[in-house]
Amino acid sequence: MKITKPRLALICGILCISIFPILVKLKLAPGLISAFYRMAIALAFLLPYVLITKSFKLPKTKFLILAALCGILFASDVAVWNIAIQDSSATQASLLTNLSPLWVGIGSFLFLKSKPATNFWIGTVVALFGMITLVGFSFFINLSFDAAFLFAVLSGILYSIYLLISKNVLSEVDVLSFMTITLSASSIYLGIVCYFLNEPFTGFSDTGWFVLVLQAVICQLCAWLSISYATQHMRATRVSLSLLSQAVLTSILAWLFIEEKITLQMIFGGIILLFGIRITFYDKTITFKKLLSKN
């Protein structure tokens, strides 16, 4: 598989967001306010740069509104996912959120001109089976269908809608301008929500503030500049499915930093998951006829 610039950007983006569930699980700030500062601090770094370099270009009204909508959708996604992670297990929240490739595939089939390829559906089935193996089949027996469960599912749906709309916007708007608009909309939207819900804007420990800055710079700014660039040049379905590999990297980081165990089953599941993602990058369409003809 040739490593092109979009693919390299996607890999960098996935690496950057892999630490996010671990940082949120530390619970050094409430979920909603954590989401607000993730957007606001990232904007505080990005805005001076685009103004000084004059790299911000105001898009047409239609795409300006759609970019702002993307900001609200993404902010809502991060907010409800934060709550889901803090109110349940990180495993349950990550699994349910990562059902987004299914929603993206269905949405692409219904609304986009570029329809999901056969390899996407095959890769999705294989990758989801790998994810199920990664977390354990018994995990599904103990799923808690509570508010955290619904928030995690909602997070996946919101993200899939965001990805489909952003794919359309990024065909007309450059990445830096898109990120500036979305972060502005996200910050204003979450700031208003946090204010009316009486979320604490101050009073965090030094470690808490450091984690908030880390989330903003690494998990938001670096990650989503990279992923937005990849989305601009790749299929939305392929990007969404590739993001499933985050679960594998997060498991490794959790083992290294918060002493979560990695079992042989998790390793096997991770290999299956990554193989499913690899299928979607295979250029030639996979069919049963071709598979049988090789035997």
Side-chain angles (χ1 to χ4, degrees), residues 4 10 47 53 73 88 100 118-119 131 181 189 194-195 211 243 254 262 268:
T4 60
L10 181 59
L47 192 57
T53 60
L73 286 168
S88 66
S100 59
T118 302
N119 292 5
M131 179 162 284
I181 296 167
Y189 166 69
C194 290
Y195 175 78
V211 168
L243 290 173
I262 293 182
F268 184 59

Side-chain angles (χ1 to χ4, degrees), residues 201-220:
F201 285 88
T202 58
F204 311 121
S205 64
D206 290 342
T207 304
W209 283 113
F210 174 74
V211 168
L212 290 174
V213 172
L214 201 62
Q215 287 181 32
V217 175
I218 304 299
C219 305
Q220 182 60 39

Side-chain angles (χ1 to χ4, degrees), residues 39 43 47 179-189:
M39 305 302 168
L43 178 63
L47 192 57
M179 285 291 293
T180 303
I181 296 167
T182 56
L183 284 173
S184 298
S186 296
S187 301
I188 294 169
Y189 166 69

Side-chain angles (χ1 to χ4, degrees), residues 9-27:
L10 181 59
I11 292 170
C12 291
I14 291 169
L15 288 171
C16 289
I17 62 174
S18 296
I19 65 170
F20 182 65
I22 297 172
L23 297 177
V24 173
K25 197 62 182 175
L26 294 175
K27 294 185 177 181

Side-chain angles (χ1 to χ4, degrees), residues 101-120:
L102 290 177
W103 312 127
V104 172
I106 294 169
S108 297
F109 181 79
L110 294 175
F111 302 112
L112 296 185
K113 292 180 181 179
S114 177
K115 307 299 181 185
T118 302
N119 292 5
F120 166 77

Side-chain angles (χ1 to χ4, degrees), residues 1 7 119 235 238 277-286 294:
M1 182 175 66
R7 289 177 178 178
N119 292 5
R235 298 190 194 111
R238 183 173 283 179
I277 295 171
R278 177 64 183 89
I279 290 173
T280 67
F281 283 86
Y282 187 65
D283 294 326
K284 296 180 180 179
T285 303
I286 299 172
K294 292 181 180 180

Side-chain angles (χ1 to χ4, degrees), residues 18 21 28 49 52 74 79 92 98 100 126-127 168 214 222 254 258 269:
S18 296
L28 297 175
Y49 173 79
I52 292 171
F74 187 76
Q92 174 174 309
N98 282 323
S100 59
V126 174
N168 182 35
L214 201 62
C222 295
I258 57 177

